[in-house]
């Protein structure tokens, strides 16, 4: 657990010093926002690159608070939150590096890069869902994390079965999103991935209803 917390802290804090060092080499004017066509639609100060690292720290602290609270409701939940947080923070670190690269090179069109940003984001999301799917069945009943509905929280049996189903669902959706990232790009990748994710949610909720009716 100590090693996991150390990794978590490093991933949470790392983007800030990296960005601070990068500021000395970044041009004063950087791409601050891209439109749906991947073209820069706003330029800004290089100091705007600090926004993402600061958000990573705030998000990391929030998740730590959630982890502490969930542990009070179920032993082992803190560890699960930390593991999930490691992957979430890793994604934020990768995106920080990606956008520092675009800032440094003043990339005006993301389509010119070898890695499509939509593919990158949703591939990372797919991997995250697979990891969360593997972790979800281990979550103890609580009011913060997990597949939580009024039906899944009816009793320990409905909770356990709901998390097992949710874990399988997350893994399947994660794999589907990864496949979509291989065969689509741009807005098609974005809409298809979000569509698969949204379609899975009512299925998961309906399962918790059915299992509560049975138990």
């Amino acid at each position: 657990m100590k090693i996991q917390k150390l990794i978590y802290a490093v991933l949470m804090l790392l983007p800030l010093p990296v960005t601070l060092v990068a500021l000395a080499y970044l041009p004063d004017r950087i791409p601050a926002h891209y439109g749906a066509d991947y073209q820069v639609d706003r330029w800004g100060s290089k100091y705007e690159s600090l926004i993402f690292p600061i958000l990573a720290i705030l998000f990391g602290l929030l998740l730590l608070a959630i982890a502490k609270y969930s542990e009070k409701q179920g032993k082992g939940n803190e560890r699960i939150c930390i593991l999930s947080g490691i992957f979430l923070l890793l994604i934020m670190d990768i995106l920080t590096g990606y956008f520092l690269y675009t800032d440094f090179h003043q990339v005006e069109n993301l389509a010119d890069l070898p890695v499509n940003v939509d593919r990158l984001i949703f591939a990372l999301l797919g991997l995250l869902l697979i990891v969360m799917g593997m972790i979800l069945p281990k979550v103890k009943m609580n009011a913060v994390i997990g597949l939580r509905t009024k039906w899944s929280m009816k009793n320990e049996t409905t909770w356990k079965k709901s998390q097992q189903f949710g874990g399988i669902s997350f893994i399947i959706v994660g794999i589907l999103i990864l496949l979509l990232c291989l065969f689509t790009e741009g807005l098609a990748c974005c809409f298809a991935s979000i569509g698969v994710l949204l379609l899975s949610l009512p299925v998961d909720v309906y399962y918790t209803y059915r299992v509560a009716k049975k138990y």
Side-chain angles (χ1 to χ4, degrees):
M1 186 67 170
K2 289 182 178 179
I3 295 177
Q4 293 167 0
K5 286 186 175 180
L6 177 62
I7 294 172
Y8 184 97
V10 169
L11 291 174
M12 180 178 72
L13 298 173
L14 184 60
L16 184 57
V18 168
T19 302
L20 287 172
V21 172
L23 284 175
Y25 303 95
L26 290 177
D28 291 330
R29 180 172 171 267
I30 63 170
H33 188 267
Y34 292 92
D37 59 355
Y38 300 127
Q39 300 282 345
V40 176
D41 56 17
R42 187 176 72 82
W43 294 83
S45 166
K46 65 180 180 180
Y47 294 101
E48 290 188 44
S49 61
L50 289 169
I51 293 174
F52 213 81
I54 292 172
L55 288 176
I57 292 174
L58 293 176
F59 173 78
L61 292 174
L62 174 63
L63 194 57
L64 282 177
I66 291 173
K68 290 289 185 183
Y69 181 74
S70 65
E71 179 70 12
K72 294 178 181 179
Q73 298 184 326
K75 187 174 176 59
N77 283 344
E78 182 182 12
R79 179 174 177 272
I80 292 168
C81 280
I82 295 297
L83 285 172
S84 301
I86 286 172
F87 284 92
L88 285 165
L89 290 168
L90 180 60
I91 289 173
M92 297 186 78
D93 289 5
I94 291 172
L95 291 176
T96 297
Y98 182 90
F99 287 112
L100 281 177
Y101 177 88
T102 63
D103 292 344
F104 181 78
H105 293 280
Q106 293 183 308
V107 176
E108 296 188 25
N109 186 353
L110 290 177
D112 293 336
L113 296 178
V115 178
N116 179 269
V117 65
D118 292 310
R119 277 182 167 174
L120 174 63
I121 291 172
F122 285 101
L124 292 173
L125 174 63
L127 290 172
L128 175 63
L129 287 171
I130 291 172
V131 171
M132 291 181 68
M134 296 170 65
I135 293 174
L136 199 58
K138 300 176 183 178
V139 176
K140 302 295 191 302
M141 188 186 293
N142 69 95
V144 185
I145 60 173
L147 179 53
R148 295 174 295 105
T149 69
K150 65 178 182 180
W151 302 296
S152 68
M153 298 185 71
K154 180 179 179 181
N155 54 55
E156 287 292 340
T157 300
T158 58
W159 175 265
K160 185 175 181 179
K161 289 187 175 295
S162 294
Q163 305 320 303
Q164 290 172 342
F165 181 86
I168 294 171
S169 174
F170 275 33
I171 291 172
I172 291 173
V173 172
I175 292 172
L176 288 175
I177 289 176
L178 287 177
L179 291 173
L180 286 169
C181 290
L182 289 176
F183 298 107
T184 62
E185 62 179 19
L187 290 178
C189 177
C190 178
F191 289 135
S193 298
I194 292 175
V196 169
L197 184 59
L198 291 178
L199 285 173
S200 71
L201 295 179
V203 175
D204 294 343
V205 172
Y206 180 70
Y207 179 84
T208 65
Y209 167 76
R210 289 299 302 270
V211 79
K213 292 276 287 186
K214 184 175 181 180
Y215 295 96

